[in-house]
Amino acid sequence: IQSGWEGKIVGERVERVLGTNDPTARTEMEAIRASARSLGSFTRAGGDFYTSAQPCPLCWGEAYWACIVRV
């Protein structure tokens, strides 16, 4: 996840579903969580979300809720 105005990466993660036995530990979800910790806020207004494939419906919903502008 890249913040909108500064252009810096604020969240970057890998898939952890199998390692944690947590179905929500998807790469996109983990990146959103990391960016929340980095920015101290749930919103990524103006930010870009880079992924290697189309996100699942759960991750799309989280991107929407986090106010990410572009996926």
Side-chain angles (χ1 to χ4, degrees):
I1 296 177
Q2 185 176 31
S3 66
W5 298 278
E6 300 86 30
K8 65 180 180 176
I9 296 174
V10 294
E12 186 176 26
R13 290 293 182 267
V14 296
E15 188 87 7
R16 295 178 356 111
V17 172
L18 297 177
T20 62
N21 292 320
D22 178 358
T24 68
R26 307 286 309 237
T27 306
E28 298 90 348
M29 297 286 287
E30 293 291 303
I32 290 171
R33 290 174 182 148
S35 66
R37 286 188 294 274
S38 175
L39 296 172
S41 173
F42 78 91
T43 183
R44 312 291 156 264
D48 296 331
F49 192 18
Y50 295 93
T51 180
S52 60
Q54 184 170 336
C56 72
L58 173 69
C59 296
W60 271 114
E62 288 302 318
Y64 177 78
W65 181 251
C67 303
I68 293 172
V69 185
R70 288 177 289 219
V71 176

